[in-house]
Amino acid sequence: MTTVSAEKYHGTENDFLVVDADAPVADRAAFAAIHCNRETGVGGERTGADGVLFLSLDPGASPVRVTMTLVQPDGSVAEMCGNGARVAAVWAARETGAREVIIETPAGDRHAVVQSEGVTVEMGRPAFDPADVPLARDAGGPLIDTPVEGLTVTAVNTGVPHAVAFVEDVDAVDLETVAPPVRHAELFPDGTNVTLAARAELDDDATEGAPGAPAAFRQRTYERGVEGETLACGTGAVAVVAAAKRTGRLDTEGPVRVSPPGGDLVIVVPDDGPATLTGPVDREFDVDLEVPE
Ligand SMILES: N[C@H](CCC[C@H](N)C(=O)O)C(=O)O
């Protein structure tokens, strides 16, 4: 029986197994399905994981570069993962001592800075154009507060596709029931993640010194590839702020607090430039994992 060494990390409870890309894992999809399983997968505080990050480090580059491949529990490879990118940056920082890292993803290179209070990752420019989300040819234009399979959604690509629905109270929605029809809607030829958002009040001390009109949102996301709710979704947090601005619910270039169940993230979406995602990363443990034949 072959085993490979792995490390368990999470970014605001969006949890991942980290494996060196050179490790002898011939069937990555089977490996992810086995070890991410929430019932029978890798042990720990929470059994299983939201995916496996296969990372390849180029320590000699300046800044240091990490190629990130996220294999999800359903075997799919995601183009990008905001929380996974934060984990990859911390992994590279631990390996090299670097504080600045370039993460190479199928969605493009992403610049990251590792600081004591958290990791900031550049997330590219949110895109609403049908060709970028992508949307089916008969969509007839961007989806902005558009009814789709029972939810009113705004479709945006933040490295991966998100359908964002603004609601009064994210906890009042039965996400596992309402999300799948949107996640699989024909309007989304590559599928989509489904993200709920609700405006939240900022308590006074949270706004201390915050520039502009401080704002906050609650978030919940049903993730494509996990085929279920995760406790945080970085691309989803960026999608909340980008969609809030596009739909006129928010008008700021300042930092916005977005709170999925797993913790608080800080998002900046400039009017013209790449968005950023900032938040904590925790390394949980080392583990040796069986490699399926
Ligand atoms: N499930 C997503 C990829 C992971 C995104 C999420 N974990 C994040 O932090 O951005 C998809 O297939 O589009």
Side-chain angles (χ1 to χ4, degrees), residues 192-218:
T192 185
N193 300 281
V194 183
T195 289
L196 303 178
R199 197 68 189 259
E201 291 312 311
L202 269 171
D203 36 55
D204 290 348
D205 58 8
T207 63
E208 192 63 38
F217 289 86
R218 289 284 318 283

Side-chain angles (χ1 to χ4, degrees), residues 14 16 70 72 78 80-84 160-161 193 223-224 233-235:
N14 193 192
F16 303 95
L70 168 61
Q72 304 197 98
M80 174 54 190
C81 176
N83 292 327
V160 292
N193 300 281
E223 284 202 39
R224 176 186 71 167
C233 178
T235 52

Side-chain angles (χ1 to χ4, degrees), residues 45-245:
E45 253 182 69
R46 288 177 72 211
T47 299
D50 291 329
V52 182
L53 297 170
F54 289 93
L55 301 181
S56 175
L57 181 65
D58 177 358
S62 176
V64 156
R65 297 181 80 88
V66 184
T67 302
M68 177 177 88
T69 305
L70 168 61
V71 181
Q72 304 197 98
D74 74 345
S76 63
V77 174
E79 303 91 332
M80 174 54 190
C81 176
N83 292 327
R86 294 195 286 119
V87 166
V90 167
W91 177 82
R94 283 173 54 90
E95 295 286 320
T96 63
R99 284 283 168 265
E100 190 180 357
V101 181
I102 300 290
I103 301 146
E104 297 181 8
T105 80
D109 288 359
R110 295 290 189 263
H111 180 269
V113 176
V114 178
Q115 294 152 319
S116 53
E117 65 274 18
V119 183
T120 296
V121 178
E122 278 190 4
M123 298 289 287
R125 293 165 184 254
F128 295 87
D129 188 287
D132 296 326
V133 173
L135 297 178
R137 285 188 192 292
D138 59 3
L143 300 187
I144 310 298
D145 280 336
T146 305
V148 176
E149 301 290 340
L151 284 178
T152 297
V153 301
T154 296
V156 59
N157 187 293
T158 53
V160 292
H162 278 271
V164 180
F166 291 95
V167 297
E168 270 310 300
D169 174 2
V170 296
D171 294 326
V173 178
D174 177 359
L175 188 57
E176 294 289 335
T177 299
V178 305
V182 181
R183 182 259 177 271
H184 294 287
E186 286 181 11
L187 263 174
F188 299 101
D190 295 351
T192 185
N193 300 281
V194 183
T195 289
L196 303 178
R199 197 68 189 259
E201 291 312 311
L202 269 171
D203 36 55
D204 290 348
D205 58 8
T207 63
E208 192 63 38
F217 289 86
R218 289 284 318 283
Q219 169 199 357
R220 290 176 65 194
T221 296
Y222 180 100
E223 284 202 39
R224 176 186 71 167
V226 176
E227 301 310 315
E229 180 173 9
T230 55
L231 296 182
C233 178
T235 52
V238 174
V240 166
V241 179
K245 291 183 70 169

Side-chain angles (χ1 to χ4, degrees), residues 226-279:
V226 176
E227 301 310 315
E229 180 173 9
T230 55
L231 296 182
C233 178
T235 52
V238 174
V240 166
V241 179
K245 291 183 70 169
R246 178 65 188 262
T247 58
R249 291 180 171 88
L250 185 66
D251 177 16
T252 179
E253 292 195 279
V256 178
R257 192 187 69 195
V258 178
S259 302
D264 293 339
L265 297 168
V266 177
I267 306 298
V268 175
V269 176
D271 293 341
D272 183 19
T276 61
L277 157 68
T278 300

